[in-house]
Amino acid sequence: MKLQRRLITGLVLAAWLPLSAHAQTVFKSHDTHPAGYPTVAAVESMGKKLDAATKGRLKIQTFPGAVLGQEKEAVEQVQLGAIQMARISLGVIGPVVPEVDVFNMPFVFRDINHMRAVIDGPVGQDLLDKVSASPARLIGLGWMDGGSRSLYTKKPVRSPEDLKGQKIRMMGNPLFVDTMNAMGGNGISMAYGEVFTSLQTGVIDGAENNPPSYFTANHYTTPAKYYSQTHHLIIPEILVMSKVAWDKLSADDQALVKKLAREAQLEQRQLWDKSVADYTAKLKAAGVEFIQIDTKPFYDATEPVRQKYGAKHADLMKRIAAVK
Ligand code: GTR
């Protein structure tokens, strides 16, 4: 009788074990960009590695094309745990973790290589840790590249005077509205998904972004065909995880996810450089006029913005400037 019971218990356990060993966790990961975009491709690749390393226990399912919402809503969903991951612009994290705004300031990085050296080094790690330690319930996993943002408008812009009276769409963060107002235009905060129609209908006169976004969001097909090389914002992208999902992971799994996010950071960079070159060529072929300008007047005009938002982070600003 005893033996029989043991046998039955053993059988039940044997039937249960393989099942539990194969229990799967699938992280839904948001991206506003379409399939194939460097950020989407890098997260997909991270997902494959995670799947292989955990023998299918942990997976990432990417949801490109903003199907889970615009970035502001996506951040909220990640905070709640309804979405487990998102690759978003750091611009929209500023309103929930104000410390990161130091990376969102105009001309805070000298150029893209400077930004890369900063995000790859201790300052980058500190900012990820600040996101994770903040009450926002987000975990900063890693960075990605968003290149530099320049203006695209219906009329060419060569100086701050040319922006006078022009309504320019900015991402949802008061810092960016202040930036555009300081640059000479009228900053209008608007979700990315509304920009195309607003450019077409004349609700706005222009917007600003990097060449891959300008192309893939079809903004170049609107009357905004002058791309003035202001490079006023170099905003890193961030890969975040919901703290709700993070807290359910073992320490080993957490370390694995972070390691793979770091690999994705470096992998995305290669894809990014290629995509900037490809989309720049495509934009030019489609008739977009790239205008080289003197950026100094825009740098000078935005000094009050760096003062206003940077004052609280004077040490961090010094550390960023000191990175070679
Ligand atoms: C892109 C960025 C997106 C989004 C978009 C925007 O460069 O990759 O995450 O923030 O800009 O302007 O809203």
Side-chain angles (χ1 to χ4, degrees):
M1 190 63 192
K2 252 188 184 171
L3 183 70
Q4 217 177 359
R5 205 177 293 153
R6 253 188 234 148
L7 265 176
I8 292 169
T9 316
L11 279 175
V12 170
L13 267 180
W16 178 81
L17 268 177
L19 256 185
S20 90
H22 283 104
Q24 265 183 18
T25 303
V26 181
F27 303 126
K28 286 192 211 140
S29 189
H30 168 275
D31 201 310
T32 201
H33 294 302
Y37 199 89
T39 50
V40 178
V43 174
E44 260 168 19
S45 161
M46 174 179 169
K48 280 190 192 132
K49 290 187 196 169
L50 186 63
D51 191 337
T54 62
K55 301 199 173 57
R57 208 167 33 81
L58 301 179
K59 290 176 187 284
I60 299 175
Q61 187 179 4
T62 52
F63 287 83
V67 291
L68 300 179
Q70 295 296 309
E71 288 192 331
K72 184 174 173 286
E73 288 77 49
V75 172
E76 287 164 9
Q77 296 296 303
V78 176
Q79 290 183 281
L80 292 171
I83 301 177
Q84 292 73 43
M85 289 171 71
R87 188 298 311 162
I88 35 177
S89 171
L90 192 66
V92 291
I93 296 288
V96 288
V97 187
E99 287 94 331
V100 304
D101 269 342
V102 71
F103 277 8
N104 287 329
M105 287 191 293
F107 300 104
V108 70
F109 299 111
R110 292 186 298 274
D111 52 30
I112 287 168
N113 285 336
H114 179 210
M115 178 272 285
R116 288 176 173 178
V118 172
I119 60 171
D120 287 352
V123 179
Q125 189 54 51
D126 282 2
L127 271 241
L128 288 178
D129 293 345
K130 279 197 174 140
V131 171
S132 309
S134 82
R137 284 169 296 147
L138 299 170
I139 300 297
L141 293 183
W143 301 108
M144 292 201 187
D145 211 308
S148 72
R149 298 172 77 103
S150 285
L151 283 169
Y152 41 95
T153 45
K154 295 177 196 168
K155 287 187 265 167
V157 173
R158 293 189 170 82
S159 67
E161 291 75 53
D162 292 339
L163 271 173
K164 211 165 173 229
Q166 294 212 45
K167 295 191 284 294
I168 308 294
R169 178 269 172 171
M170 303 301 285
M171 278 192 281
N173 182 333
L175 163 56
F176 301 135
V177 172
D178 282 355
T179 298
M180 182 42 60
N181 294 347
M183 284 169 71
N186 295 340
I188 310 278
S189 168
M190 185 183 278
Y192 193 48
E194 288 170 33
V195 180
F196 176 76
T197 315
S198 304
L199 283 170
Q200 271 196 327
T201 55
V203 168
I204 49 172
D205 303 302
E208 43 84 61
N209 223 313
N210 50 53
S213 294
Y214 182 25
F215 187 90
T216 55
N218 279 323
H219 296 170
Y220 75 102
T221 63
T222 71
K225 289 198 190 328
Y226 291 97
Y227 193 54
S228 303
Q229 307 281 273
T230 44
H231 304 292
H232 55 281
L233 290 169
I234 297 181
I235 307 176
E237 316 269 31
I238 187 168
L239 183 63
V240 287
M241 185 175 248
S242 172
K243 191 164 183 323
V244 179
W246 181 255
D247 286 347
K248 289 184 189 147
L249 294 178
S250 67
D252 283 354
D253 284 344
Q254 289 180 345
L256 174 67
V257 168
K258 280 209 170 159
K259 174 182 158 275
L260 296 180
R262 177 74 179 193
E263 287 175 25
Q265 174 167 331
L266 302 175
E267 188 177 332
Q268 190 263 355
R269 185 167 300 171
Q270 312 301 323
L271 300 171
W272 180 257
D273 284 341
K274 190 179 174 312
S275 101
V276 171
D278 287 354
Y279 287 123
T280 298
K282 284 188 178 154
L283 287 166
K284 286 182 178 167
V288 168
E289 193 178 324
F290 279 64
I291 303 171
Q292 302 301 325
I293 57 164
D294 174 15
T295 56
K296 174 106 182 9
F298 291 100
Y299 176 87
D300 292 345
T302 51
E303 183 56 32
V305 181
R306 285 184 295 282
Q307 295 286 336
K308 177 175 167 187
Y309 291 91
K312 287 175 274 174
H313 313 291
D315 279 354
L316 208 46
M317 297 269 288
K318 266 189 218 138
R319 285 176 68 201
I320 293 173
V323 175
K324 293 280 169 277

